[in-house]
Amino acid sequence: MEKGCLFCQISHGETSTELLFENDTLVVFKDIHPAAPVHLLIVPKQHIRSINDLQDADRPILAEMLLVARDMAAQSGVATSGYRLFVNVERGGGQVIFHLHLHLIGGWK
Ligand code: 5GP
Ligand code: ZN
């Protein structure tokens, strides 16, 4: 847990944010300002600032993030229609919350 980090707090269940999925590695919840009909955030419990801060040992976390994204896309009904997965990296890449997270967006008509 990183002091004052919003996604550390959310991923450890310390806020009222509803968790759509949780396992030992990560949590999934809805983005508060959805950019699409479906907009989920896949967030590791471990505090990693950004992609730049990943260690080789974090490989299983990344694999888990993608596999859970696959499952959440199916559960949200966008797997067949299609969706986007993206990660913003540092300020120039649009990152606002400095705790690694994967965006899943989809559900357009
Ligand atoms: P970033 O730009 O860092 O990749 O994305 C951060 C995302 O977190 C934004 O899409 C923003 O809407 C979302 N967000 C920021 N604060 C909160 C919050 O308190 N709750 C939820 N559910 N999402 C948040
Ligand atoms: Zn954090």
Side-chain angles (χ1 to χ4, degrees), residues 6-7 10 17 29-34 39 41 86-88 94-98 101 103:
L6 176 64
F7 282 8
I10 292 177
T17 303
F29 52 91
K30 287 183 182 166
D31 196 292
I32 203 167
H33 294 126
H39 189 168
L41 298 174
F86 62 94
V87 179
N88 297 325
Q95 188 173 5
V96 174
I97 305 284
F98 295 99
H101 52 280
H103 293 256

Side-chain angles (χ1 to χ4, degrees), residues 1-2 5-9 45-48 98-99:
M1 283 273 288
E2 179 93 347
C5 173
L6 176 64
F7 282 8
C8 277
Q9 290 163 1
K45 291 182 174 179
Q46 184 180 321
H47 181 84
I48 300 166
F98 295 99
H99 175 131

Side-chain angles (χ1 to χ4, degrees), residues 57-73:
D58 297 327
R59 219 172 274 268
I61 298 175
L62 295 176
E64 190 67 17
M65 287 170 76
L66 287 174
L67 291 170
V68 168
R70 173 202 64 190
D71 293 346
M72 294 306 298

Side-chain angles (χ1 to χ4, degrees), residues 47-64:
H47 181 84
I48 300 166
R49 176 185 163 93
S50 84
I51 289 278
N52 290 340
D53 300 279
L54 281 166
Q55 309 291 312
D56 287 354
D58 297 327
R59 219 172 274 268
I61 298 175
L62 295 176
E64 190 67 17

